[in-house]
Amino acid sequence: TYPPTQSPPEYYVEESTGKCLSDKETVMPEWIKTTYTTYDRCCESGSRNSRECLRNKPETEKKPKKPGQDGTPIILYVPPKFYVDTSSGLCMSDKEQPMPDWIEETFSRYHLCCDKSV
């Protein structure tokens, strides 16, 4: 969706090249009357060579890549570790409170930690 002050791009065929262009990137000639709502539709319905047109699709119009395909790291969920806080005897999550370095025993489930707490 677009903010109220912005309209979605319209695509048109540049007659001299057969390429599809966006009215947001170039000034559309006034005599152009046929426009398309998507780049793909412009190529498929208006361009002389739809395959070539689709091959030249601008990066901004290509579908987003899956996570990790564009070089960004994939962040996986790391479940919390539970430990017994020696000062209070309560079970704590390392997500709630940083675990002290001297703690050696951790638990994957809260109830397992509670079984060991005093």
Side-chain angles (χ1 to χ4, degrees), residues 78-83 92-100 106:
V78 177
K81 292 181 202 170
F82 297 98
Y83 65 95
M92 303 298 294
S93 160
D94 66 342
K95 302 288 185 194
E96 298 172 327
Q97 180 176 320
M99 185 171 63
T106 61

Side-chain angles (χ1 to χ4, degrees), residues 13-16 28-34:
V13 177
E14 182 180 49
E15 292 296 323
S16 62
M28 184 170 65
E30 290 181 28
W31 53 268
I32 298 282
K33 300 296 179 208
T34 305

Side-chain angles (χ1 to χ4, degrees), residues 84-98:
V84 177
D85 179 20
T86 54
S87 63
S88 67
L90 300 175
C91 285
M92 303 298 294
S93 160
D94 66 342
K95 302 288 185 194
E96 298 172 327
Q97 180 176 320

